[in-house]
Amino acid sequence: MTLKAEHLCVPRQGETECGDVAVVRTDADVSLLAVIDALGHGPHAATAARIAAELLAVAPLDRGVLHLMESLHAALRGSRGAAAMLCLLSTDGRLQGCGVGNVEMRTVGSRIPTVLTPGILGASVNRLRTFEARVVPGDRLVLFSDGISSRMDLGSVRGLSPAGACDVLMTQNRRTHDDSTLLVIDIEA
């Protein structure tokens, strides 16, 4: 099983720095799929997003999604904090996820029972909740920050590549008053 992933991160209208970040990384037989949305926008939010991206670029993936989220929470202490959706996808199709705050994941294909934990990474988070599912070739996962309307129609971009889907979904669903990030992943055989 392989992944085709593309993302777009767009700063709030009138800003040059984005407080959102997407991370896609593969290590051995596991891939990390992540969207981070630092609180607010502008330079301070961009700093928190960079802290998160730097941690996720090197953190071990073999300890599970809960360990990753706890590490991210610790790394963001003293920053403005963030919301995040992290998923680990094994080559056998097993997906583990954890979301904190106002980030979301939608799917086309397999149903994934996403459970979010209220809170702010780096500040206050109650007991982290995880979820698990299986994905199969032909599935599409879309992770996104609250700068994207959750009313998006994923069916309208079904035939498009991940890059094409990002472009159309961003154009149709972006909220210009906030940083916006979309990560589109196609699962292939």
Side-chain angles (χ1 to χ4, degrees), residues 12-99:
R12 175 185 170 166
Q13 190 169 352
E15 301 267 346
T16 58
E17 292 189 80
C18 188
D20 285 5
V21 68
V23 177
V24 177
R25 180 181 140 220
T26 300
D27 187 8
D29 62 345
V30 124
S31 295
L32 168 66
L33 312 167
V35 167
I36 312 299
D37 179 359
L39 268 57
H41 50 85
H44 295 295
T47 297
R50 276 192 295 278
I51 291 167
E54 289 168 4
L55 172 92
L56 294 175
V58 298
L61 303 183
D62 60 351
R63 293 186 177 172
V65 73
L66 191 58
H67 180 266
L68 272 178
M69 193 64 88
E70 289 168 344
S71 299
L72 189 56
H73 180 48
L76 288 169
R77 280 193 200 354
S79 75
R80 87 170 13 189
M85 174 67 71
L86 305 181
C87 295
L88 291 176
L89 180 60
S90 301
T91 54
D92 66 359
R94 190 173 61 100
L95 180 130
Q96 292 182 328
C98 185

Side-chain angles (χ1 to χ4, degrees), residues 104 106 144-153 169 172-175:
E104 293 188 50
R106 302 254 311 273
F144 56 100
S145 69
D146 69 338
I148 302 292
S149 171
S150 62
R151 293 182 181 166
M152 73 177 104
D153 177 13
L169 292 171
Q172 293 177 348
N173 299 284
R174 177 176 170 228
R175 295 178 170 143

